[in-house]
């Protein structure tokens, strides 16, 4: 009698994963609502169980009888830090046959703007397909060639519209609909809370991979909620069978450290939850000639350029922004802008995160940088317009607008997005 690794480990494949049974169904909105009402524990306080936790605890019944491919990356881990692919692969209760890797890759070996390509995973032998910068019929063809009938998504998001994993989700949903595949989204926390949507809403003519559809810059949603929003509002051909497995124990006011879950950097320049906290605002500096802190140990918390002095930090502090202070800082990036050169600038210190508005802060920093440093310039490709979702922020700042003027310009579109968003929220 011969035993395979898969059969030997099947019984313990989900060991160490706890959680209530996932509640899902063919109707996506109904499924998500039902799942979120099963809230064992008091919420927060380290009691959060992810969508995968609940799926595994339910014996993978949602995936029974299906050939499964999963879109994931290094953040797809259990509470005891085992990757969900390594947990599912030897378990006879789930037929996992393929993995799909996003930007940075499935195992996370690639830097920003890179991926791992097509290969067989050494740990499991599973085929890994590259989805980065692939969408539409081309991605649908990959799903068809893989032989799966169900595409599962399990990636930790960072909470900002221009963080590309949510658009990987969108592209996979669009391609799954074209290929006639089912989609199951396993939910994880929004690390910077789901309290509110903030910032400008993307205008359709500025759509790119850092923003496909009219979503606020800080969306305040989880990936499962976004999946429901995409299917209900934006996909020309919705996924016929979309299921979401919600979390239990997560509240909209929870920051990541309240979840009790381990933080795995979702990309090389998102090392901590504190990075995610400032990222929806300070990522805007990617659209300028200043360093956004890439190549330092504090990306997106350190900002600067050659020739910047203490006057920027003083001007930023004078803005009176709630929950944050600014320190004059000097740093030498190891890569990216100003590699190997010492630059001056600011470091953000968030001291009251409940009051902190990252998008307003990012705008105030742009306004004060332009006023205090004569060398300030936008990237020649107007990347700032892709990040903010329109030309409004750039043109207003160039015209001398102050922070209140810039922020006030998007209030009407943000109010409309918040009303749409409210229909797809599944947690209190």
């Amino acid at each position: 009698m011969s035993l395979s690794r898969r059969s030997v480990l099947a019984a313990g494949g989900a060991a160490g994963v706890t959680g209530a049974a996932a509640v899902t169904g063919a109707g996506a909105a109904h499924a998500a609502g039902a799942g979120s009402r099963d809230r064992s524990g008091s919420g927060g306080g380290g009691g959060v169980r992810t969508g995968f936790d609940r799926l595994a605890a339910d014996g993978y019944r949602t995936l029974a009888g299906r050939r499964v491919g999963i879109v994931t990356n290094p953040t797809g881990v259990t509470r005891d830090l085992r990757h969900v692919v390594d947990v599912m692969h030897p378990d006879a209760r789930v037929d996992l046959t393929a993995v799909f890797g996003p930007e940075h890759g499935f195992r996370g070996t690639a830097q920003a703007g890179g991926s791992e390509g097509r290969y067989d995973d050494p740990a499991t032998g599973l085929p890994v397909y590259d989805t980065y910068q692939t969408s539409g019929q081309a991605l649908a063809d990959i799903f068809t060639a893989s032989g799966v009938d169900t595409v599962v998504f399990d990636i930790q998001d960072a909470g900002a519209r221009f963080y590309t994993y949510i658009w990987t989700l969108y592209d996979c949903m669009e391609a799954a609909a074209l290929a006639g595949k089912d989609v199951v989204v396993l939910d994880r926390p929004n690390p910077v809370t789901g309290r509110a949507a903030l910032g400008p809403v993307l205008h359709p003519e500025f759509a790119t991979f850092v923003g496909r559809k009219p979503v606020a810059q800080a969306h305040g949603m989880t990936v499962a909620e976004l999946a429901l929003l995409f299917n209900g509002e934006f996909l020309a051909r919705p996924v016929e069978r979309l299921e979401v497995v919600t979390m239990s124990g997560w509240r909209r006011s929870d920051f990541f450290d309240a979840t009790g879950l381990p933080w795995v950097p979702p990309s090389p320049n998102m090392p901590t939850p504190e990075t995610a906290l400032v990222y929806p605002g300070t990522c805007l500096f990617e659209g300028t000639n200043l360093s956004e802190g890439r190549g330092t140990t504090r990306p997106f918390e350190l900002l600067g350029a050659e020739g910047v002095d203490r006057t920027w930090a003083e001007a930023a502090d004078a803005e009176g922004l709630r929950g944050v202070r600014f320190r004059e800082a000097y740093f030498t990036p190891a890569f990216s802008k100003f590699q190997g050169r010492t630059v001056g600038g600011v470091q953000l210190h968030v001291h009251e995160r409940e009051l902190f508005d990252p998008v307003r802060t990012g705008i105030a920093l742009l306004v004060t940088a332009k006023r205090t440093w004569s060398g300030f310039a936008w990237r020649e490709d107007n990347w700032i317009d892709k990040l903010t979702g329109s030309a409004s922020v750039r043109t207003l700042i160039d015209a001398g607008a102050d922070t209140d003027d810039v922020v006030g310009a998007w209030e009407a579109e943000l109010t409309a997005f918040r009303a749409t968003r409210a229909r797809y929220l599944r947690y209190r």
Side-chain angles (χ1 to χ4, degrees):
M1 176 180 179
S2 63
L3 296 176
S4 67
R5 178 175 180 267
R6 184 182 182 95
S7 61
V8 168
L9 297 179
V17 182
T18 60
V23 182
T24 59
H30 171 74
S36 63
R37 286 193 293 270
D38 182 7
R39 298 179 57 85
S40 58
S42 59
V48 173
R49 290 182 287 184
T50 67
F52 178 79
D53 291 340
R54 302 183 74 217
L55 176 77
D58 194 37
Y60 304 104
R61 283 193 296 175
T62 297
L63 303 179
R66 307 193 196 185
R67 287 177 56 83
V68 175
I70 187 167
V71 184
T72 189
N73 71 354
T75 65
V77 295
T78 63
R79 187 177 292 269
D80 61 1
L81 289 171
R82 290 185 300 151
H83 199 281
V84 298
V85 168
D86 298 325
V87 172
M88 286 194 291
H89 175 250
D91 197 314
R93 296 172 297 177
V94 57
D95 186 13
L96 181 63
T97 60
V99 180
F100 304 102
E103 183 179 7
H104 308 294
F106 159 46
R107 295 291 185 181
T109 64
Q111 256 289 353
S115 58
E116 293 174 337
R118 166 70 176 90
Y119 68 100
D120 291 337
D121 178 46
T124 62
L126 291 170
V128 179
Y129 298 87
D130 187 3
T131 70
Y132 182 48
Q133 294 186 331
T134 305
S135 60
Q137 189 60 53
L139 184 53
D141 290 344
I142 290 175
F143 288 159
T144 299
S146 73
V148 305
D149 54 52
T150 300
V151 177
V152 175
F153 183 93
D154 188 7
I155 292 179
Q156 175 64 57
D157 182 38
R161 181 188 63 233
F162 34 62
Y163 205 58
T164 62
Y165 296 136
I166 64 172
W167 304 113
T168 295
L169 170 62
Y170 179 88
D171 289 345
C172 287
M173 291 175 64
E174 179 184 53
L178 289 171
K181 309 298 183 184
D182 300 339
V183 175
V184 176
V185 178
L186 307 180
D187 213 6
R188 289 184 180 269
N190 185 321
V192 296
T193 81
R195 291 177 300 171
L198 302 168
V201 176
L202 180 116
H203 294 194
E205 64 268 30
F206 290 87
T208 67
F209 192 47
V210 294
R212 295 271 194 234
K213 294 295 176 179
V215 170
Q217 190 165 308
H219 49 71
M221 303 177 78
T222 69
V223 290
E225 291 172 335
L226 283 164
L228 298 171
L229 173 73
F230 294 162
N231 217 44
E233 301 292 330
F234 300 140
L235 284 170
R237 180 177 179 176
V239 176
E240 185 172 335
R241 186 175 181 184
L242 168 66
E243 300 169 84
V244 300
V245 185
T246 56
M247 297 173 283
S248 65
W250 187 73
R251 299 174 298 195
R252 305 208 74 82
S253 59
D254 285 344
F255 288 91
F256 195 82
D257 59 6
T259 66
L261 298 172
W263 177 262
V264 174
S267 58
N269 295 290
M270 193 66 64
T272 70
E274 289 73 28
T275 317
L277 184 62
V278 301
Y279 177 79
T282 56
C283 182
L284 296 180
F285 279 83
E286 287 187 354
T288 74
N289 63 338
L290 285 86
S291 167
E292 63 275 9
R294 292 182 187 273
T296 76
T297 59
R298 290 289 180 179
F300 304 106
E301 296 177 57
L302 286 168
L303 308 167
E306 289 180 317
V308 175
D309 60 23
R310 70 180 59 141
T311 57
W312 186 21
E314 292 169 353
D317 261 333
E319 290 279 304
L321 297 164
R322 299 199 304 168
V324 62
R325 297 189 181 98
F326 304 94
R327 180 181 69 85
E328 172 192 3
Y330 299 89
F331 56 95
T332 305
F335 60 87
S336 195
K337 298 174 185 172
F338 303 105
Q339 179 178 358
R341 293 143 64 186
T342 300
V343 301
V346 301
Q347 182 177 358
L348 286 74
H349 293 265
V350 178
H351 59 90
E352 289 185 81
R353 61 188 182 179
E354 292 80 7
L355 301 178
F356 176 63
D357 181 334
V359 182
R360 184 182 183 88
T361 299
I363 296 298
L365 285 165
L366 289 172
V367 168
T368 53
K370 184 171 176 60
R371 287 179 180 172
T372 59
W373 181 47
S374 62
F376 179 93
W378 305 109
R379 263 175 50 173
E380 291 183 359
D381 60 359
N382 284 340
W383 187 243
I384 187 67
D385 298 354
K386 309 301 191 299
L387 294 171
T388 58
S390 77
S392 176
V393 167
R394 175 177 54 83
T395 56
L396 283 169
I397 291 176
D398 281 348
D402 62 19
T403 302
D404 286 340
D405 291 334
V406 179
V407 172
W410 66 59
E411 283 306 311
E413 62 191 36
L414 179 59
T415 297
F417 173 75
R418 285 172 171 168
T420 300
R421 165 184 176 271
R423 298 198 292 270
Y424 298 96
L425 302 183
R426 294 297 180 266
Y427 305 89
R428 288 180 287 203

